[in-house]
Amino acid sequence: MMRCILIVGILLPHSWAHPGFFTSIGQMTDLIHTEKDLVTSLKDYIKAEEDKLEQIKKWAEKLDRLTSTATKDPEGFVGHPVNAFKLMKRLNTEWSELENLVLKDMSDGFISNLTIQRQYFPNDEDQVGAAKALLRLQDTYNLDTDTISKGNLPDPEHQRANGNLKYFEYIMAKEKDDNKSTSDDRSDQKTTPKKKGVAVDYLPERQKYEMLCRGEGIKMTPRRQKKLFCRYHDGNRNPKFILAPAKQEDEWDKPRIIRFHDIISDAEIEIVKDLAKPRLSRATVHDPETGKLTTAQYRVSKSAWLSGYENPVVSRINMRIQDLTGLDVSTAEELQVANYGVGGQYEPHFDFARKDEPDAFKELGTGNRIATWLFYMSDVSAGGATVFPEVGASVWPKKGTAVFWYNLFASGEGDYSTRHAACPVLVGNKWVSNKWLHERGQEFRRPCTLSELE
């Protein structure tokens, strides 16, 4: 596909203080305040220059009147001793003072402030990263060049509605077919209509991923949808949730994805974000060849890790996850907080270690990642869905909710249908936090299996 986009700007000086601004909208807001401070400083400089010019202008107007009178009768003018003295004084001292005023540099304060602030400016990597993000958004959401170059992004609600409309039209058509059909659960394997003659099941992963990000290609038949429910959950009669059970909603059946509603408060979210912001750094991935952490273009975000012992809110959140899942969080990884950048995304990946990377979590000594708990800590105006290309599932961010799924079967084998991705953020600011729970420590516990959640 031919891609063309208007990218205007100048390359900014290299910065060493905060690399990767484009990978975090949260940190990018600091640039707004930096630029506002510079504008204020610039206006002060302009005012100083205007005051200076006003002084020069008044001087010029005064001398213009004086010289106009003097040139009418030069001899008569200097014949007056006071006029003669003032002429000598002006030319000997006052013109020198005017010269000093004209040469006075009023920009010192502004240039000094600019020099200080420049160390916090984005660098070439940020500008290129932001440009690539625009191209990524253009491709993923099928935006035409003219639309995105003018900044006229689609209305978020309208965009979502279009995606849902296509889905519901498909569901209605399928409902009619099911009513006429006498077939059994073979209908569960049917997919959305073909696109350009190719069944969704046989599309390349990248194409399925982008379709799901747009709200297309969702594979949920009415028969399967009828098996999805909402319920109250008390965490195996956990005392904390008997009187105030958690609200659950089935998002998907295979793999089973459960959404918990109103599971983290706005106050808790703000505390977690405040703790994470100073520590945000470019998110990394495991290099399968070296086993070390490294940055990657397919993961555009910044993250920070929070321990339960450093703040009671984090500890309380961890225990809430343990109470609702029945899984021991003492062997889980720390709470990871992530903020996505311009077009922020994380392309399709597995949370668990595959057989070809047995040493992925060797240093932790806690086994594989048995399950994933993901908090949505912000609403996202458009884009930013969590999608599962293998099964055609899309889960949209909703502030205050969390989703949970198992990465491993009871046998310990990895569930490859949990391969998932974070779609590019089209409009808005996406904050999430997640907890990866590990195998070790679950041997003698009674976890709330997803079958028990039915």
Side-chain angles (χ1 to χ4, degrees):
M1 179 178 63
M2 181 65 69
R3 298 183 300 182
C4 176
I5 188 168
L6 180 63
I7 301 173
V8 179
I10 60 172
L11 291 181
L12 296 168
H14 285 278
S15 165
W16 60 89
H18 293 286
F21 270 115
F22 76 98
T23 63
S24 170
I25 294 294
Q27 283 193 332
M28 205 178 299
T29 56
D30 294 339
L31 297 178
I32 299 295
H33 299 294
T34 296
E35 190 167 46
K36 175 62 177 177
D37 182 67
L38 286 174
V39 170
T40 301
S41 181
L42 179 60
K43 291 171 70 175
D44 290 341
Y45 161 65
I46 293 172
K47 180 65 167 56
E49 288 285 11
E50 289 176 341
D51 292 342
K52 170 184 166 180
L53 289 173
E54 186 63 26
Q55 293 181 58
I56 296 173
K57 181 180 179 181
K58 289 180 178 179
W59 174 270
E61 290 174 348
K62 181 183 75 172
L63 289 185
D64 184 51
R65 292 192 299 270
L66 189 61
T67 54
S68 295
T69 301
T71 53
K72 292 178 181 179
D73 182 11
E75 291 186 3
F77 183 81
V78 296
H80 194 293
V82 174
N83 289 342
F85 167 75
K86 288 184 176 181
L87 177 61
M88 297 300 104
K89 180 176 178 292
R90 282 196 305 275
L91 293 173
N92 183 47
T93 60
E94 294 182 9
W95 274 97
S96 295
E97 293 173 358
L98 178 63
E99 179 184 17
N100 292 334
L101 177 60
V102 172
L103 294 175
K104 185 177 181 181
D105 189 355
M106 311 304 292
S107 66
D108 287 349
F110 170 69
I111 296 300
S112 177
N113 190 25
L114 180 61
T115 301
I116 293 172
Q117 298 286 10
R118 182 174 281 121
Q119 63 183 313
Y120 304 109
F121 278 11
N123 57 21
D124 293 351
E125 179 189 359
D126 288 302
Q127 184 166 323
V128 172
K132 288 181 178 179
L134 292 179
L135 293 174
R136 183 164 58 249
L137 292 173
Q138 184 180 5
D139 283 350
T140 303
Y141 295 104
N142 284 343
L143 304 175
D144 63 82
T145 302
D146 184 64
T147 295
I148 197 168
S149 65
K150 293 179 179 178
N152 298 323
L153 295 177
D155 177 73
E157 294 303 321
H158 180 65
Q159 182 205 31
R160 179 73 57 81
N162 275 344
N164 287 340
L165 179 60
K166 294 177 182 177
Y167 173 51
F168 289 130
E169 287 176 345
Y170 161 63
I171 289 297
M172 292 174 66
K174 286 292 299 162
E175 186 75 56
K176 292 180 180 178
D177 292 341
D178 286 345
N179 289 337
K180 297 177 182 179
S181 175
T182 58
S183 62
D184 56 13
D185 285 346
R186 286 180 299 173
S187 62
D188 290 356
Q189 305 301 320
K190 294 180 180 179
T191 62
T192 51
K194 295 181 180 179
K195 182 179 180 181
K196 296 183 179 180
V198 181
V200 174
D201 274 343
Y202 298 99
L203 291 175
E205 181 183 65
R206 179 74 192 184
Q207 197 167 347
K208 288 192 287 186
Y209 156 63
E210 292 183 349
M211 288 176 65
L212 289 169
C213 289
R214 296 192 297 268
E216 304 168 4
I218 299 174
K219 300 189 296 183
M220 176 59 69
T221 64
R223 187 186 298 273
R224 290 167 60 187
Q225 193 172 37
K226 290 176 182 177
K227 298 178 182 179
L228 304 182
F229 297 96
C230 295
R231 70 187 66 78
Y232 288 105
H233 176 60
D234 62 12
N236 284 338
R237 298 196 61 77
N238 186 294
K240 298 177 184 177
F241 294 100
I242 290 178
L243 294 180
K247 292 179 283 186
Q248 287 185 343
E249 177 187 4
D250 293 333
E251 284 283 354
W252 207 256
D253 54 354
K254 297 178 182 179
R256 193 70 181 278
I257 304 171
I258 302 292
R259 188 192 292 264
F260 290 81
H261 289 269
D262 302 320
I263 204 63
I264 184 171
S265 68
D266 289 350
E268 289 173 325
I269 287 173
E270 290 308 310
I271 290 174
V272 169
K273 287 166 61 176
D274 288 342
L275 289 171
K277 282 180 181 178
R279 311 182 198 177
L280 289 176
S281 59
R282 181 72 185 269
T284 56
V285 297
H286 279 280
D287 187 323
E289 295 183 1
T290 65
K292 297 181 179 179
L293 294 176
T294 182
T295 59
Q297 290 299 318
Y298 59 83
R299 188 178 189 185
V300 182
S301 64
K302 284 191 174 183
S303 62
W305 300 85
L306 303 180
S307 299
Y309 65 80
E310 61 185 291
N311 189 282
V313 170
V314 179
S315 177
R316 185 166 68 240
I317 289 172
N318 288 340
M319 289 308 301
R320 188 176 305 154
I321 296 172
Q322 177 169 299
D323 292 336
L324 289 172
T325 64
L327 296 173
D328 187 357
V329 297
S330 67
T331 59
E333 295 172 52
E334 294 179 342
L335 186 70
Q336 180 182 221
V337 182
N339 180 227
Y340 289 79
V342 181
Q345 62 161 5
Y346 191 178
E347 292 184 4
H349 62 280
F350 298 103
D351 280 353
F352 63 91
R354 274 74 66 208
K355 291 182 179 180
D356 59 347
E357 46 181 8
D359 298 333
F361 307 116
K362 185 177 180 180
E363 294 181 0
L364 298 178
T366 53
N368 212 341
R369 289 172 173 167
I370 189 174
T372 296
W373 179 286
L374 176 65
F375 285 110
Y376 291 114
M377 302 199 301
S378 67
D379 292 313
V380 179
S381 299
T386 304
V387 299
F388 296 73
E390 292 297 314
V391 297
S394 294
V395 180
W396 299 95
K398 183 179 180 182
K399 186 178 181 181
T401 69
V403 291
F404 173 77
W405 68 86
Y406 278 102
N407 296 305
L408 307 179
F409 292 113
S411 64
E413 292 291 317
D415 183 352
Y416 283 78
S417 68
T418 61
R419 184 171 173 82
H420 60 285
C423 294
V425 176
L426 179 58
V427 181
N429 188 8
K430 182 181 178 182
W431 282 91
V432 299
S433 59
N434 67 276
K435 195 80 172 173
W436 283 309
L437 300 113
H438 284 248
E439 294 175 292
R440 192 66 50 80
Q442 318 305 341
E443 296 87 346
F444 304 106
R445 297 187 66 85
R446 180 172 179 262
C448 299
T449 63
L450 293 185
S451 61
E452 289 176 329
L453 299 181
E454 295 181 352

